[in-house]
Every structure is written in structure tokens, then in C-alpha cells.
Amino acid sequence: MAVVLEEFKTSVKPTWCPGCGDFGVMNALGRAVASLGIPGHEVVVVSGIGCSGKISQHFGAYGIHTLHGRVLPTATAVKVANRSLTVIAAGGDGDGYGIGVGHLVHAARRNVDITYVVMDNHIYGLTTGQTSPTSDPGMATKTHPRGAFEEPVHPLALAIVSGATFVAQGFSGDVNGLARILAEAIRHPGFALVNVFSPCVTFNKVNTYAWYRESLTSVDGDPDYDPSDRMAALSRIEATRGLVTGILYRSRRPTFESQLPGLGEKPLAVLPAGLSGEDLEDLLAEFE
């Protein structure tokens, strides 16, 4: 039976603000998974804390809403336990590039087969508008009323130098383009970071849909751009100040879970317990 977009929609109405960029991300994610023919019962969405973290509750698949900044360790555990599942980690710039940035580095260097979608709105939206790790210098917020002065995190460059084998960036105002990027990321065998500019229409009046449409360039359709060239990717990111969309970098190396000693390809969940019926009953009785 064909997998259709409706399979990933639920009856639960998201509590995101009208016009929130996260609606576009969820729509694009559904289109991407449907285009790959992956049924919902083979997909797990692991999300963190923040407005973006609600996506696991609204996407028609298995979902885990985990602790602040702990998306990637949880997603890694899911993938190791059952590598037949499509594992999608999702969160925001505060969750992923603040408290969770250490986990990003290690997931990238390990090359765990996870697609990590970060909804980057340059502000903490759920807590009503504080400076985030990706806020631009000079941006006035509740915590920096005279303007942010710290150097922001540069997620694309950080992921590439940490060892990620797929690094891309999309814009939630371009759902079709984002869906294509997400499909490639999910298809990629290894760690894939997709940073998505997802405007916060309530608390960020600087990085708006109109601002991104004027500011962004794309490597898509550029015949001279080679996404397998690591240094070229870093140069393009630097030259555009990160305001570039498309697949910036892609390479191949063995995944983390394929190299774990003693772990076969068969999911742990379906392996026989290796116990007799009597022994299993005794074991289960201990937990009654």
C-alpha cells in the first residue's frame, strides 16, 4: 500500500502561534517521509524541549518528547536498539546548540544514522523571547535589551568539522525545497544535520520570512558547487555568513551502529530471549 502524507497528520491541533515556521517544517517532514514510502510505524521522532519539541506529539509516527538538550543520546539509543527504524531527532536552536551542543559534536563524529532537524529561529520562543545561541550580534531581546554581543554558534560549520557526513540547510517558507532536502537527509546512511530557518513570528521581528527571502542564496542548481568538497562547503558557508540553503556537504563512511561489536543487524526487540518457558515465567514473576 502506498504511503501518503495524510498518514503523518494527527487530529491533535498544534499550539504553535499562527504563522510559526514549525508548521512548515512538520509539513515538509511528512512529505519527505511519504515520498520515501516509509510507513509511520517504522518512524520514530525524538524531540527536545521548546516550541519545536512539540513536533513529536503532532507527527503521525512513534514519538518521544525527551529532556532539554538530550535529543541525540535518546535518538542514538533508539537507533542502536533497532536499526531498522527511521530515526528523526528534532529540536530548536536553544535545545540543540545550547545545552545539547556537546551531544551534536559526538553524534556527528560517531556518524550515527540519525536525521537531526533543528528548527532555528534565533530566539527562545517558548520562554517568550530570550537570546539564543544563534541570535545575531546586536539583536535586542529580553535578556539583551541593548543588543546581543556574543559570537553566535555556527551550526553548519560546527557539524562539518565535527565529522557529520551530511550537512544541509533549509527554510520553512520553502516547504517543497525543504521536503527535498529532508528526503535526501533521511536517505543518507549516517549522521545528517538539517538546520532549518524557522521564523518565530511572535518574538523575533528581525529574522522574518521576508528577511530570509531577501537574504538567502542556494547551492541548488549551481553546477560549479561540489558537495563532496569539505573545504568548499566551509568556504561557501563563510562567504554567505551561513545564509545559504541546500545540501552543503555529503560524504560516506561506516555508521556508528554498524561497527558496534556484538550487535547484529537484527533488532534487539525481536531476538529470542533464550530462556525456557519456565525460566521466563520465573523472571517475569520477579517484576509483578
Side-chain angles (χ1 to χ4, degrees), residues 1-4 7-8 30-40 42-43 86:
M1 181 179 294
V3 178
V4 296
E7 182 171 339
F8 303 101
R31 294 188 191 192
V33 177
S35 72
L36 296 172
I38 306 172
E42 295 180 2
V43 179
T86 295

CSV table of all heavy atoms in Angstrom, one decimal, residues 1-4 7-8 30-40 42-43 86:
chain,number,residue,atom,x,y,z
A,1,MET,N,0.8,-1.2,0.0
A,1,MET,CA,0.0,0.0,0.0
A,1,MET,C,0.9,1.2,0.0
A,1,MET,O,1.9,1.3,0.7
A,1,MET,CB,-0.9,0.0,1.2
A,1,MET,CG,-1.8,1.2,1.3
A,1,MET,SD,-2.9,1.1,2.8
A,1,MET,CE,-3.9,-0.3,2.4
A,2,ALA,N,0.5,2.2,-0.8
A,2,ALA,CA,1.3,3.4,-0.9
A,2,ALA,C,1.2,4.3,0.4
A,2,ALA,O,0.2,4.3,1.0
A,2,ALA,CB,0.9,4.3,-2.1
A,3,VAL,N,2.3,4.9,0.7
A,3,VAL,CA,2.3,5.7,1.9
A,3,VAL,C,2.0,7.2,1.5
A,3,VAL,O,2.6,7.7,0.5
A,3,VAL,CB,3.7,5.7,2.6
A,3,VAL,CG1,3.8,6.6,3.8
A,3,VAL,CG2,4.1,4.3,3.0
A,4,VAL,N,1.0,7.8,2.2
A,4,VAL,CA,0.6,9.1,1.8
A,4,VAL,C,0.8,10.1,2.9
A,4,VAL,O,0.9,9.7,4.1
A,4,VAL,CB,-0.9,9.1,1.3
A,4,VAL,CG1,-1.1,8.2,0.1
A,4,VAL,CG2,-1.8,8.6,2.5
A,7,GLU,N,-1.1,10.1,6.3
A,7,GLU,CA,-0.7,9.1,7.4
A,7,GLU,C,0.0,9.8,8.5
A,7,GLU,O,0.0,9.3,9.7
A,7,GLU,CB,0.2,8.0,6.8
A,7,GLU,CG,0.5,6.9,7.8
A,7,GLU,CD,1.2,5.7,7.1
A,7,GLU,OE1,1.0,5.5,5.9
A,7,GLU,OE2,1.9,5.0,7.8
A,8,PHE,N,0.7,10.9,8.2
A,8,PHE,CA,1.6,11.6,9.2
A,8,PHE,C,0.9,12.8,9.9
A,8,PHE,O,1.5,13.5,10.6
A,8,PHE,CB,2.9,12.0,8.6
A,8,PHE,CG,3.6,10.8,8.0
A,8,PHE,CD1,3.6,10.6,6.6
A,8,PHE,CD2,4.3,9.9,8.8
A,8,PHE,CE1,4.2,9.5,6.1
A,8,PHE,CE2,4.9,8.7,8.3
A,8,PHE,CZ,4.9,8.5,6.9
A,30,GLY,N,6.6,15.5,6.8
A,30,GLY,CA,5.6,14.5,6.3
A,30,GLY,C,5.8,14.2,4.8
A,30,GLY,O,5.7,13.0,4.4
A,31,ARG,N,5.9,15.2,4.0
A,31,ARG,CA,6.1,15.0,2.6
A,31,ARG,C,7.4,14.2,2.3
A,31,ARG,O,7.4,13.3,1.4
A,31,ARG,CB,6.2,16.3,1.9
A,31,ARG,CG,5.0,17.2,1.9
A,31,ARG,CD,5.1,18.4,1.0
A,31,ARG,NE,4.0,19.3,1.2
A,31,ARG,CZ,3.8,20.4,0.4
A,31,ARG,NH1,4.5,20.5,-0.6
A,31,ARG,NH2,2.8,21.2,0.7
A,32,ALA,N,8.4,14.5,3.1
A,32,ALA,CA,9.7,13.7,2.8
A,32,ALA,C,9.6,12.3,3.1
A,32,ALA,O,10.0,11.4,2.3
A,32,ALA,CB,10.8,14.4,3.7
A,33,VAL,N,9.0,11.9,4.3
A,33,VAL,CA,8.8,10.5,4.7
A,33,VAL,C,7.9,9.8,3.7
A,33,VAL,O,8.1,8.7,3.3
A,33,VAL,CB,8.4,10.4,6.1
A,33,VAL,CG1,8.1,9.0,6.5
A,33,VAL,CG2,9.4,11.1,7.1
A,34,ALA,N,6.8,10.5,3.4
A,34,ALA,CA,5.8,9.8,2.4
A,34,ALA,C,6.5,9.6,1.1
A,34,ALA,O,6.3,8.6,0.5
A,34,ALA,CB,4.6,10.7,2.3
A,35,SER,N,7.3,10.5,0.6
A,35,SER,CA,7.9,10.4,-0.7
A,35,SER,C,8.9,9.2,-0.7
A,35,SER,O,9.2,8.6,-1.8
A,35,SER,CB,8.7,11.6,-1.1
A,35,SER,OG,9.9,11.8,-0.3
A,36,LEU,N,9.4,8.8,0.5
A,36,LEU,CA,10.3,7.7,0.6
A,36,LEU,C,9.6,6.4,0.8
A,36,LEU,O,10.2,5.3,0.8
A,36,LEU,CB,11.3,7.9,1.7
A,36,LEU,CG,12.3,9.1,1.5
A,36,LEU,CD1,13.1,9.4,2.8
A,36,LEU,CD2,13.2,8.9,0.3
A,37,GLY,N,8.3,6.5,1.0
A,37,GLY,CA,7.5,5.2,1.1
A,37,GLY,C,7.7,4.6,2.5
A,37,GLY,O,7.5,3.3,2.6
A,38,ILE,N,8.0,5.3,3.5
A,38,ILE,CA,8.3,4.8,4.8
A,38,ILE,C,7.0,4.9,5.7
A,38,ILE,O,6.6,6.0,5.9
A,38,ILE,CB,9.4,5.5,5.6
A,38,ILE,CG1,10.7,5.5,4.7
A,38,ILE,CG2,9.7,4.8,6.9
A,38,ILE,CD1,11.8,6.3,5.2
A,39,PRO,N,6.4,3.8,6.1
A,39,PRO,CA,5.2,3.9,6.9
A,39,PRO,C,5.4,4.4,8.3
A,39,PRO,O,6.6,4.3,8.8
A,39,PRO,CB,4.7,2.4,6.9
A,39,PRO,CG,5.9,1.6,6.7
A,39,PRO,CD,6.8,2.4,5.8
A,40,GLY,N,4.4,5.0,8.9
A,40,GLY,CA,4.6,5.7,10.2
A,40,GLY,C,5.1,4.8,11.3
A,40,GLY,O,5.8,5.2,12.2
A,42,GLU,N,7.3,2.7,11.2
A,42,GLU,CA,8.7,2.4,11.1
A,42,GLU,C,9.5,3.7,11.3
A,42,GLU,O,10.7,3.8,11.1
A,42,GLU,CB,9.1,1.9,9.7
A,42,GLU,CG,8.5,0.5,9.5
A,42,GLU,CD,8.8,-0.1,8.1
A,42,GLU,OE1,9.6,0.6,7.3
A,42,GLU,OE2,8.3,-1.2,7.7
A,43,VAL,N,8.8,4.7,11.8
A,43,VAL,CA,9.5,6.0,12.1
A,43,VAL,C,9.4,6.4,13.5
A,43,VAL,O,8.3,6.2,14.2
A,43,VAL,CB,8.8,7.1,11.2
A,43,VAL,CG1,9.5,8.5,11.5
A,43,VAL,CG2,8.9,6.8,9.7
A,86,THR,N,13.5,4.2,11.1
A,86,THR,CA,14.0,5.5,10.6
A,86,THR,C,13.9,6.5,11.8
A,86,THR,O,12.8,6.7,12.3
A,86,THR,CB,13.1,6.1,9.5
A,86,THR,OG1,13.3,5.2,8.3
A,86,THR,CG2,13.5,7.5,9.1
